[in-house]
Amino acid sequence: MKDVVGKNSELLYLYDAKMCNPNGDPDEENKPRMDYETGRNLVSDVRLKRYLRDYWLALSEDEWRKLGYAPRPDVWGRHVEDKKSGLQQVVSAKDRISALAGELGVEDLNELVKRASQKKGDKERKKLKAFIEQLLTRLVDVRIFGATMPIGDESGRKGESITFIGPVQFSWGYSLNRVEILPSASITSHFASGRPGRGEEGERYGTMGKDWRVKYSLLTFYGTVSAWRACHTRLTQQDVELLDHSLLRALPLLATTRSKLGQTPRLYLRVQYKDDRTFLGDPRAWLELECETGLEDVKDVQLNFTGFVERLGSAKDKIEKVGFWAHPDFASAKQLEKALAAVGLAIERVRGLGAS
């Protein structure tokens, strides 16, 4: 594999959600997740990672090749195609790792792990190490986000697990503005069970639910890329640039269901440091939204980045470059790019949809 990442990065990702449900809470009738004390809309890091994994699964062999990957990588967190029916099926983590082990020439992974842990298991340890290297080469999301792969039964009482702590981690996202949840309408679906050709409508069945949506939410995520963790999953600079690219493309291409439509990336920055020790911390504390209520569109957003720019400027000797992308409709971001350049930071444009 190519050289692993040797420098830390921190990420700031903003997108907005308009008249949709960015992340429903199954414990609350699928209402948008909220911090009701502050009025902030919440989105889990798991939801964000799901968009990214689904995007990687959707890329064709040719698209992966254009991104510099050959052969096409695989994804750990995915559905698996049934060989008989050709349909995508949900499988357990145990079945997934067993199938991957078989494809990579390991017949009994559980037994291999057990023998590798024994005093005289030198041969097995080498074989297990080679298997893990193959696994990391193949699974791009494990190199980036990590994973826990159970070996043995699902309860964990029999067998072991292989755990990779991902070098890329995201916090939960939250809205900078106070978000209004629109009154929900009840939604229903019906179907008939009558036999065709006899004019019989038969019995009718249906389901009922609530259609919860936010009026407007300006969501922000903070993320880190740890060089110390990267050496354990073999994360490469190419993988980090894939993450840059995917954060801008996954959301508009995959948030297209009835409840998710209306989400748009607005700003992305990756601050890459010169070493493997520097982290400045969550930059959302340095952002100031001039009006936190009554927002309905990105054109209403006036976001003050003064504190953020001052923080980066004071640490510019530790910063190698700032990857930058902004949606052309986000006026505040244009001022941010000029301010970052004015304090002497090297700006590098990130490729994305709607790049200005």
Side-chain angles (χ1 to χ4, degrees), residues 158-301:
K158 299 177 182 178
E160 304 290 340
S161 65
I162 299 175
T163 299
F164 302 100
I165 299 176
V168 176
Q169 297 293 335
F170 287 102
S171 66
W172 271 53
Y174 62 77
S175 65
L176 295 178
N177 63 313
R178 297 179 182 273
V179 171
E180 178 184 351
I181 298 181
L182 298 175
S184 172
S186 296
I187 52 176
T188 59
S189 62
H190 295 278
F191 60 92
S193 63
R195 290 171 292 173
R198 299 198 177 189
E200 299 179 7
E201 188 172 314
E203 294 185 70
R204 298 188 68 85
Y205 298 89
T207 60
M208 180 176 291
K210 294 288 188 178
D211 188 16
W212 299 102
R213 293 168 185 261
V214 298
K215 190 172 185 179
Y216 183 81
S217 178
L218 181 63
L219 291 154
T220 61
F221 275 89
Y222 164 61
T224 59
V225 181
S226 168
W228 285 29
R229 296 293 187 192
C231 62
H232 297 293
T233 66
R234 307 297 188 266
L235 179 77
T236 67
Q237 187 63 32
Q238 184 181 48
D239 295 333
V240 175
E241 291 171 4
L242 170 69
L243 179 67
D244 293 340
H245 161 91
S246 303
L247 280 166
L248 305 180
R249 292 181 178 262
L251 195 66
L253 292 175
L254 290 169
T256 54
T257 62
R258 181 177 179 274
S259 65
K260 294 291 184 282
L261 191 64
Q263 300 181 82
T264 307
R266 296 300 183 185
L267 177 69
Y268 175 66
L269 287 94
R270 178 167 60 83
V271 181
Q272 181 170 305
Y273 299 105
K274 295 179 179 179
D275 57 44
D276 62 358
R277 296 178 180 274
T278 302
F279 282 120
L280 295 182
D282 191 339
R284 294 175 294 183
W286 311 321
L287 307 181
E288 184 179 351
L289 190 60
E290 294 190 10
C291 183
E292 295 186 358
T293 59
L295 301 183
E296 297 185 4
D297 190 86
V298 68
K299 294 178 182 178
D300 302 328
V301 175

Side-chain angles (χ1 to χ4, degrees), residues 78-83 85-92:
R78 61 169 296 171
H79 293 171
V80 174
E81 185 176 296
D82 181 78
K83 293 181 179 179
S85 67
L87 300 175
Q88 296 290 315
Q89 293 185 329
V90 177
V91 297
S92 68

Side-chain angles (χ1 to χ4, degrees), residues 297-311:
D297 190 86
V298 68
K299 294 178 182 178
D300 302 328
V301 175
Q302 295 182 31
L303 191 55
N304 189 326
F305 291 97
T306 301
F308 177 52
V309 173
E310 289 177 352
R311 179 68 168 166

